[in-house]
Amino acid sequence: MSAQYEVVIGLEVHAELKTDTKIFCSCPTEFGGEENTHVCPVCLGLPGVLPVLNKKVLEYAVRAGLALNCEIASFSKFDRKNYFYPDLPKAYQISQYDLPICKKGYLEIEVNGRKKTIGITRVHMEEDAGKLVHGGATIATSRYSLVDYNRTGVPLIEIVSEPDMRSAEEARAYMEKLKAILEYTGVSDVRMEQGSLRCDANISLRPMGAKEFGTKTEIKNLNSFRALQKAIEYEIERQRDILEEGGKIIQETRSWDEGKGVTVSLRSKEEAHDYRYFPDPDLVPVVIDPQWVQEIRDSLPELPDAKRERLVQEMGLSEYDAGIITGSRALADFFDQVVAEYNEPKTVANWIMGEFLRLLNANNLEVAESKVKPRSLAALLKAQAEGTISGKMAKTVFEEMFETGKEPETIIKEKGMVQISDEGALAAVVEKVIAANPQSVEDYKAGKEKAIGFLVGQVMKETKGQANPGLVNKLLKDKLG
């Protein structure tokens, strides 16, 4: 980024709410299914139907707004956002315009050790559109598109940030924090690969020190953290090149071509007046009892920042470790459940960040899909701490636990992996190793400390890795003086 310009970034994030039914009808919200089967006259917008607001949608919108430190409106309403795209059959989307359910919130991010508060302008409820399936590799090159209306009417909240971000890294950190908060509150499954969390990025450049914003472009439907960061980085460079060559930025909507690593123009950017918003005459205004809002506030779980602080202050984890553990609710809950059974937080954190995440990533699995349960990991760590198995054995056992879901005690018994901690049994092996390795014995007695490591290794080899290495070390040193 040239020092001549400053980038200004704002994000509009759409999150599908985790309700069983759609926002204005009883059709299922289940992902997938045969095309155009999760539909009814209401979500298809057929003549004569009337939408009815799903109360769970309102509760989830309020819940998300409270977690994002927003003001909750006691009075809001729904509006019709008119446009003529084929993904909404009634040619308008039911959304909220001038009176959203939540506004004036914020969340905190941290990039390169520096904390920053990002403002949230508003959170509003709306229905999702259908899904266009393009006939070519990209929307820009397709000769035709098909439409699946199963997604039409699935409830969304749109979370609009202030233009407070100044780099692609900040935008990514904001998105990651937002995803974690929505997951913790339980309002969305935030599965970016299934489109239940997706982002539009508004990007502009202005001369360093200027107060006026530059002309912005919008990149639509970014559905991964990597795509978000790469698309913004590319767009910053594209706009900078145009400005430095004396050109002007055109306000437009663009898409991200992952294969080519470029943004491409889709259409000129609409303004709010282009949508001809007006209040939806089929839906009554939303009036909320403050007591109900308080009940929702009281039911909020411990959120990522609070949990991270607790792990640092009460459990002694480093900021880095606590940040990894609290990055997702599923992982944080898994950690808490293991610690409840085996109260050694640092050891538990090391295993979760090491072996557990390594195997999850290698097998492309989520925490909930793991066959290893928290109680089983706690049992394994107890067995290691009690000297039943060595650290090396524990990793072997854990790999089989991960693959089969068996309890550690079962695997240890089946494989005869119990660690040998009997001094009498090990003493004979130690004697044998000393007799077979006179040179190493002499080296150790001459002051070469590394020689003891070789001798320990020979004992481990003789016992097929089952000897207690600490005890072997002690026996060797006692024997060699």
Side-chain angles (χ1 to χ4, degrees), residues 208-357:
M208 194 63 72
K211 292 187 177 178
E212 293 291 325
F213 290 148
T215 303
K216 68 181 179 183
T217 60
E218 181 187 48
I219 309 175
K220 296 288 286 184
N221 290 329
L222 298 164
N223 61 2
S224 73
F225 296 128
R226 183 179 184 278
L228 173 67
Q229 183 163 348
K230 292 293 182 186
I232 291 175
E233 288 172 348
Y234 175 85
E235 187 61 15
I236 292 171
E237 294 302 317
R238 189 188 72 84
Q239 292 190 21
R240 185 201 62 184
D241 290 345
I242 292 173
L243 293 172
E244 290 185 342
E245 291 172 2
K248 290 185 177 180
I249 305 300
I250 301 170
Q251 181 165 322
E252 61 183 348
T253 298
R254 303 178 69 84
S255 70
W256 171 241
D257 187 324
E258 183 76 40
K260 295 180 179 177
V262 300
T263 63
V264 295
S265 180
L266 283 178
R267 58 181 183 266
S268 61
K269 171 62 179 169
E270 297 89 345
E271 301 286 356
H273 62 258
D274 292 325
Y275 292 116
R276 303 292 192 271
Y277 281 98
F278 65 86
D280 192 302
D282 291 337
L283 286 159
V284 297
V286 179
V287 180
I288 297 182
D289 181 351
Q291 180 61 37
W292 187 59
V293 174
Q294 186 60 44
E295 290 172 6
I296 296 173
R297 187 190 300 278
D298 293 341
S299 72
L300 286 176
E302 185 181 39
L303 295 175
D305 286 347
K307 186 179 283 283
R308 177 175 173 169
E309 184 69 16
R310 178 171 62 81
L311 297 191
V312 171
Q313 296 299 326
E314 297 181 12
M315 295 194 171
L317 298 192
S318 68
E319 286 277 353
Y320 176 80
D321 290 357
I324 297 292
I325 295 293
T326 58
S328 79
R329 179 174 180 175
L331 198 63
D333 287 350
F334 191 94
F335 170 83
D336 279 344
Q337 291 168 36
V338 179
V339 170
E341 299 272 345
Y342 180 71
N343 191 23
E344 292 290 340
K346 180 60 180 170
T347 302
V348 174
N350 286 342
W351 269 83
I352 287 178
M353 294 189 299
E355 293 303 296
F356 190 45
L357 285 182

Side-chain angles (χ1 to χ4, degrees), residues 12 64-65 106 109 126 144-145 177 184 199 213 238 245-247 263 299 384 392 397 403 406 424 427 436 473:
E12 298 172 9
Y106 66 87
I109 62 170
E126 62 185 24
Y144 66 90
S145 295
K177 176 59 74 68
Y184 272 65
C199 174
F213 290 148
R238 189 188 72 84
E245 291 172 2
T263 63
S299 72
Q384 183 186 350
K392 185 177 180 181
V397 172
E403 184 178 340
K406 290 182 179 178
N473 206 297

Side-chain angles (χ1 to χ4, degrees), residues 125-173:
M125 300 174 285
E126 62 185 24
E127 60 182 345
D128 206 348
K131 180 181 178 183
L132 293 176
V133 182
H134 305 297
T138 69
I139 186 173
T141 59
S142 295
R143 294 178 59 196
Y144 66 90
S145 295
L146 304 174
V147 63
D148 177 7
Y149 288 126
N150 280 354
R151 202 175 64 182
T152 303
V154 168
L156 297 176
I157 50 173
E158 181 173 344
I159 304 159
V160 182
S161 83
E162 292 289 308
D164 289 340
M165 289 157 269
R166 295 293 176 268
S167 69
E169 290 79 10
E170 288 187 4
R172 178 170 182 153

